[in-house]
Amino acid sequence: MTTATRSAKSDVSSGVKSNPIWRWVLYAVMIALAVLFLFPLIYMVSSSFKADDQVLANSDSLQAFIPQPFVGLENYADAIDRAQFPRVFMNSMIISGFIVGLGLVVNSLFGYALARLQFRGKKVIIAIVIALIIIPFEALAVPLLFMGAEVGWLDTYQIQILPFIANPLFIFLFYTFFLGIPKSLEEAARIDGAGPMQVFVRVVAPLAKPAYATVAILGFLFSWGQYLWPSMVTRGVGVRPLPVGIGVFKTTPPVAWGDIMAYTVMMTLPLLIIFLIFQRQFVQGVASSGVKG
Amino acid sequence: MTTVDSAETGSSTGSPSSRNRGTARQTEARAAWLFLLPAGILLVLFIVVPFVLAIGFSFTNQRLISPLPTKFIGLDNYVGQLTDGLFWKSIWNNARFSIFVVPFQTALALFLAVLVNQRLRGRVAFRTIFFTPVTVVMAAAATIWVLLFNANGLVNAALELITFGNFTPDWLNSTMWAMPAIIIVSVWQGVGFQMIILLAALQDVPTELYEAASIDGASTWEQFRSVTLPGIRNQLIFVLTVTTILAMRLFDQPTLMPNAPGGPLDSTRTAMVHMIDIGYSRQNIGRGSAIAVIFFVIVLSLTLFQRRFLREEGEV
């Protein structure tokens, strides 16, 4: 668990595999796999710089990876124009931003109450939260759509935000995290006369930065890619997020593949950049989503 | 809770501090409900209520917009679904998908995790590369792979080279190969996530166990079987369970990839595609809700069965 044991362990495994031939085999396997994982992305980027009718035309050779004939940013300009990219991008930012931001507040409060505060019925509520994790969103989509239609919320931001703020899985992640931090600091603050809210805001929340980072990253990953629900509740481009916005290209043939690839590049890039910058936090975040095992 | 209670009664022998503690406890309980309130309201409104509604609707002929009044029709929706060949076909498609994806994706994730856990130069770079597709949203991934799986696309160009032109299916228009294409995309996009969970598990297996095993003369494979696998058992179960649930929920890829939703001759119509088709596209909310309830029961029993089965097996 500590860095010391980790490096010691790595020494053991490297001791087993110090054979140079074995090392080359490992590299060969990893490079082959890396090619398989990356080629679709290289293809996407390369295609986004080609004329629309050239994307498929030279997809049957290594030319697929060379952006030639190079059309510059033409496809990007077209995609931004046709799909109203700035608008759709803003929609995605607003929706994901609210889901993640408000979610961090309400889910951590809930998780903290379950982990630390004394009240009647706590065990029942914990059991209910765990049961709710199993209910897949898809099973709720149709009745939720009905509810949304009844209150006239179709084609709004709130119908894309509100159902996803409170998340039983994230509550559970916060709950297990708060259980694991030592009580002594909170007790010290309490003796100084701080109420539960003060203790939470001043003492606990700062300690829980890794948990907040984890939930923020997972929440962003999930909400940014949502497709089913927004395609059910939005009709026009007004409040539509990025993954649904791609639909405008798929209406009438001939399909403008260059534009589509430019759009997917622009849709993928923000998350990819965030991932590359916060790689360590990403990896830790995903890793700790498996702790409940 | 009980310990706190006994501590309270123990000190409540008339001392003035006991009253303070009593009120402190009340404040704490009040605070707790305040802490629970915001998320609690949202959970009830957006999970519990629609879930109860789904059960209710499933016994009626409710439609999204309809001039006819809603009627209670008993088990008609359930009977209708359970005798509908298309419903069973979509369940079967989920099964076909899961049978390949769950073992294959988990095994590949474990393999990748073991690879990037070796002390080799550049392993962080490889870890990054294997995780990158996770950050590509499914709508984008599906679009890229539609091009790659085109009859004259890059995948077939590579296959033509390898198989000398003997195997170049028209992936997404073939009843036989549309599902495998979807499987490939799903694994490509999702395996990095599982890899990271398993990698973290690998790094927490105590070193001493490996030392002891190698002193005993265990080979690499024996060490993997008797030290690594038992050491990461919990996370493996977690990954298997989550992958199974996600496989049951398969929706985006079959909607986005083949030309028609449901794919060639419904060969990629999954339970969720079917449910949205009935409950949303055809606006038959009653029917759609019945599918949702059946689906929930299937997922719940699969989860419980898998947990129980894997737990007991491990205890032998």
Side-chain angles (χ1 to χ4, degrees), chain A:
Chain A
M1 234 183 265
T2 62
T3 32
T5 56
R6 240 179 221 177
S7 62
K9 188 189 318 156
S10 312
D11 285 341
V12 173
S13 61
S14 76
V16 178
K17 273 136 206 173
S18 51
N19 183 342
I21 296 172
W22 183 239
R23 190 169 280 250
W24 284 114
V25 171
L26 282 180
Y27 272 120
V29 171
M30 288 209 286
I31 288 167
L33 283 166
V35 170
L36 283 178
F37 274 80
L38 286 185
F39 87 89
L41 298 176
I42 299 167
Y43 177 77
M44 165 180 82
V45 174
S46 141
S47 300
S48 72
F49 292 109
K50 287 184 195 177
D52 289 329
D53 53 345
Q54 290 299 304
V55 171
L56 264 175
N58 54 22
S59 267
D60 53 355
S61 65
L62 289 179
Q63 274 192 325
F65 298 110
I66 304 159
Q68 246 174 9
F70 186 77
V71 298
L73 293 174
E74 198 181 288
N75 291 328
Y76 287 85
D78 283 353
I80 288 173
D81 192 42
R82 266 184 83 186
Q84 301 186 35
F85 189 85
R87 175 85 212 207
V88 182
F89 184 83
M90 272 307 291
N91 290 342
S92 269
M93 290 295 285
I94 291 170
I95 294 165
S96 292
F98 273 104
I99 291 176
V100 173
L102 294 175
L104 287 178
V105 177
V106 303
N107 293 322
S108 66
L109 283 174
F110 202 103
Y112 181 72
L114 292 184
R116 280 290 202 271
L117 302 178
Q118 304 300 333
F119 60 96
R120 285 174 67 186
K122 184 152 100 170
K123 281 186 183 155
V124 179
I125 293 182
I126 294 175
I128 292 174
V129 167
I130 292 173
L132 291 183
I133 294 176
I134 301 177
I135 300 182
F137 172 75
E138 288 82 350
L140 308 174
V142 170
L144 258 181
L145 176 75
F146 177 84
M147 289 166 64
E150 286 289 295
V151 294
W153 277 12
L154 296 186
D155 267 321
T156 60
Y157 284 126
Q158 65 263 32
I159 198 168
Q160 297 180 77
I161 295 169
L162 288 175
F164 305 100
I165 294 172
N167 182 316
L169 176 65
F170 295 162
I171 288 175
F172 191 79
L173 286 176
F174 275 120
Y175 166 69
T176 47
F177 185 88
F178 290 136
L179 280 182
I181 56 176
K183 275 188 186 161
S184 47
L185 285 169
E186 291 162 67
E187 275 159 8
R190 275 198 190 193
I191 290 166
D192 291 347
M197 189 52 94
Q198 283 166 311
V199 172
F200 180 75
V201 173
R202 294 207 199 125
V203 181
V204 180
L207 281 176
K209 272 188 198 138
Y212 281 102
T214 297
V215 171
I217 285 162
L218 290 177
F220 201 73
L221 207 55
F222 297 155
S223 61
W224 192 256
Q226 270 210 0
Y227 177 77
L228 166 67
W229 183 242
S231 64
M232 285 170 73
V233 297
T234 64
R235 284 186 176 82
V237 82
V239 293
R240 205 158 240 205
L242 285 166
V244 185
I246 205 171
V248 299
F249 297 104
K250 293 179 177 169
T251 44
T252 46
V255 183
W257 285 112
D259 295 0
I260 297 184
M261 287 297 113
Y263 184 91
T264 54
V265 169
M266 290 189 288
M267 165 159 66
T268 308
L269 223 49
L271 211 57
L272 197 64
I273 292 171
I274 296 174
F275 163 59
L276 291 175
I277 296 172
F278 297 104
Q279 225 200 100
R280 234 181 35 153
Q281 288 85 342
F282 247 79
V283 167
Q284 279 170 356
V286 172
S288 56
S289 74
V291 289
K292 76 192 190 91

Side-chain angles (χ1 to χ4, degrees), chain B residues 94-95 97-99 101-103 105-106 194 236-250 295 298-299 301-307 310:
Chain B
N94 276 106
F97 179 81
S98 314
I99 286 168
V101 161
V102 174
Q105 187 167 339
T106 310
Q194 276 96 329
L236 258 184
I237 292 174
F238 174 75
V239 166
L240 278 172
T241 315
V242 171
T243 316
T244 311
I245 294 177
L246 291 180
M248 294 305 297
R249 295 165 69 169
L250 182 64
F295 175 75
I298 293 176
V299 170
S301 28
L302 259 178
T303 313
L304 294 177
F305 173 77
Q306 213 171 27
R307 295 229 128 194
L310 291 166

Side-chain angles (χ1 to χ4, degrees), chain B residues 61-299:
Chain B
N61 63 353
Q62 181 75 48
R63 302 188 67 89
L64 192 59
I65 305 150
S66 167
L68 300 168
T70 306
K71 262 194 340 213
F72 177 81
I73 55 166
L75 290 172
D76 279 10
N77 287 326
Y78 289 94
V79 175
Q81 275 316 303
L82 295 172
T83 53
D84 178 6
L86 206 50
F87 171 76
W88 288 107
K89 185 161 192 175
S90 39
I91 296 282
W92 165 241
N93 284 331
N94 276 106
R96 282 203 300 156
F97 179 81
S98 314
I99 286 168
F100 282 100
V101 161
V102 174
F104 181 64
Q105 187 167 339
T106 310
L108 182 62
L110 182 57
F111 181 72
L112 294 175
V114 170
L115 271 183
V116 297
N117 196 34
Q118 304 299 322
R119 221 179 82 160
L120 288 171
R121 270 181 150 202
R123 61 180 182 165
V124 175
F126 283 106
R127 188 189 70 188
T128 307
I129 290 171
F130 299 151
F131 187 80
T132 301
V134 175
T135 64
V136 179
V137 305
M138 197 39 99
T143 312
I144 302 166
W145 282 91
V146 164
L147 271 176
L148 293 170
F149 278 125
N150 187 283
N152 304 311
L154 202 56
V155 170
N156 275 356
L159 285 173
E160 196 166 342
L161 267 181
I162 299 168
T163 66
F164 303 103
N166 286 319
F167 180 71
T168 53
D170 186 0
W171 292 89
L172 294 171
N173 293 313
S174 140
T175 51
M176 175 99 166
W177 295 103
M179 186 58 93
I182 286 174
I183 290 173
I184 290 169
V185 180
S186 310
V187 173
W188 175 77
Q189 202 261 352
V191 73
F193 203 96
Q194 276 96 329
M195 172 192 78
I196 296 295
I197 292 175
L198 294 176
L199 178 64
L202 286 176
Q203 293 179 338
D204 277 344
V205 178
T207 329
E208 303 81 51
L209 293 177
Y210 286 103
E211 283 162 4
S214 66
I215 287 167
D216 289 346
S219 70
T220 313
W221 172 244
E222 282 165 346
Q223 283 188 29
F224 180 75
R225 253 189 41 195
S226 53
V227 178
T228 310
L229 280 185
I232 60 170
R233 206 177 133 262
N234 282 339
Q235 283 85 350
L236 258 184
I237 292 174
F238 174 75
V239 166
L240 278 172
T241 315
V242 171
T243 316
T244 311
I245 294 177
L246 291 180
M248 294 305 297
R249 295 165 69 169
L250 182 64
F251 175 82
D252 291 2
Q253 298 91 308
T255 311
L256 288 160
M257 289 176 63
N259 285 324
L265 294 175
D266 290 309
S267 58
T268 58
R269 175 183 285 262
T270 59
M272 285 300 99
V273 174
H274 189 58
M275 186 190 82
I276 296 299
D277 185 23
I278 303 263
Y280 173 66
S281 308
R282 299 186 209 175
Q283 309 211 332
N284 191 338
I285 291 190
R287 259 303 158 86
S289 299
I291 302 175
V293 173
I294 299 171
F295 175 75
F296 174 71
V297 171
I298 293 176
V299 170

